[in-house]
Amino acid sequence: MASFPFIVKTRGSQATVIARFPVNAASRAYVDAEIEKVRHCVIPICGEDRQKRPGLIGSAVLLHVDGADVLVTAAHVLKDNADVALFVFGADGSGQSLAGKFLLDDQEDLAAMRVSPELSKHLSHVTPLPQSMVGSTVLDDGRFYGSVVGYPASSSKRPERGVLRTPMEVYSNRGTEIIGGRLSIQFDRESGAFSGKTGHGTARKPTGKSGGAIFAFRLLGINAVWPTISPKFIGIATHWKHKENRIEGVGPAALTRILKAVLQGVA
């Protein structure tokens, strides 16, 4: 029996027809495989609560641009935790201070800094995303298929004292470039998310993915992505608009501006 991408929701005597066009199985497998190649550039940012217990507060993306390592995240991740000592996981699994001066763009909710040689050593286990993958694959009409990669706070657990587990999650759905050059990706927890060994399942609440990466795939028709075009890193996730069922983020124009400013020595 044929399956059609339509569902009907009823409320009282009123019925609403909603069209859904998820990508086909082959495209989803391609997306998962491509993201697996690049997702390791995303790392968790942690801090301590009032009881001095470690906790996840956001995500960040490590890039290698013009010969330098640059860390990018959402500005509010830093500003909302200005009085908290922030750290990232070092190559040996220990917490390492997130030291350095970030350049903040409050209007775009974006932050970036050049990574010091010392911090680079601690992040030697992280594969920076190469400059060749920083760009835009958004079509002229603003459509794309997007993957949001980060560490949802709802997945962090403390199974024992002093230990913090922060499983990564990849959530993928259709996206558009909206007013102001920002990005908007549909969010439906029932659509499923990819989390490595567990495969596809119900998506977690994306709080904590702020500062995580947004990768874009070119759409092909109504239910597929181009299987020969690699994804591009086009933005940073900043807000979960839960009442609007979408994730919003900074787009490629703002990302390009702050990277240029950091590399020119503004920060």
Side-chain angles (χ1 to χ4, degrees):
M1 182 176 179
S3 177
F4 295 93
F6 296 95
I7 62 172
V8 178
K9 287 189 175 182
T10 60
R11 177 176 294 180
S13 60
Q14 296 183 340
T16 302
V17 178
I18 301 175
R20 288 182 177 174
F21 298 103
V23 296
N24 57 40
S27 287
R28 187 58 191 259
Y30 175 74
V31 168
D32 293 342
E34 289 297 303
I35 292 298
E36 180 62 26
K37 300 175 184 177
V38 298
R39 68 180 180 86
H40 302 288
C41 67
V42 183
I43 62 175
I45 297 179
C46 302
E48 292 184 340
D49 61 19
R50 294 178 180 178
Q51 285 73 43
K52 301 297 182 181
R53 297 177 305 180
L56 179 72
I57 64 170
S59 304
V61 186
L62 184 64
L63 310 174
H64 189 73
V65 183
D66 289 350
D69 286 343
V70 179
L71 199 62
V72 187
T73 187
H76 77 264
V77 171
L78 305 176
K79 295 185 68 176
D80 291 352
N81 298 279
D83 299 327
V84 177
L86 304 182
F87 64 91
V88 294
F89 292 115
D92 61 355
S94 63
Q96 299 295 330
S97 174
L98 186 58
K101 183 180 180 182
F102 277 89
L103 176 63
L104 302 181
D105 184 336
D106 292 330
Q107 182 175 352
E108 296 288 351
D109 196 3
L110 191 60
M113 78 167 180
R114 186 190 294 260
V115 178
S116 68
E118 181 180 2
L119 184 56
S120 288
K121 290 180 181 179
H122 291 306
L123 296 178
S124 61
H125 62 299
V126 181
T127 304
L129 192 71
Q131 188 170 355
S132 61
M133 296 203 68
V134 180
S136 176
T137 58
V138 179
L139 299 180
D140 292 338
D141 62 1
R143 300 180 307 118
F144 63 95
Y145 190 75
S147 293
V148 182
V149 183
Y151 293 81
S154 54
S155 68
S156 61
K157 297 179 180 179
R158 300 187 185 92
E160 56 189 76
R161 183 169 182 160
V163 175
L164 176 66
R165 301 187 188 279
T166 56
M168 177 186 283
E169 183 181 85
V170 179
Y171 176 81
S172 302
N173 211 326
R174 293 177 177 275
T176 56
E177 190 171 19
I178 58 178
I179 296 175
R182 294 185 67 79
L183 306 174
S184 178
I185 297 175
Q186 299 172 19
F187 183 74
D188 181 351
R189 295 188 68 186
E190 296 180 359
S191 291
F194 188 71
S195 56
K197 295 180 180 179
T198 59
H200 295 106
T202 302
R204 297 182 182 274
K205 294 180 180 179
T207 303
K209 281 190 178 181
S210 288
I214 299 176
F215 290 95
F217 294 80
R218 280 188 177 272
L219 285 167
L220 175 62
I222 62 172
N223 69 336
V225 301
W226 282 96
T228 57
I229 301 178
S230 298
K232 293 288 187 178
F233 168 57
I234 65 166
I236 291 290
T238 57
H239 295 88
W240 172 32
K241 304 286 187 177
H242 58 92
K243 293 183 179 180
E244 302 170 16
N245 297 321
R246 64 188 183 90
I247 296 172
E248 191 170 302
V250 178
L255 182 62
T256 298
R257 286 195 299 269
I258 200 166
L259 288 175
K260 183 177 180 180
V262 168
L263 294 171
Q264 288 180 339
V266 175

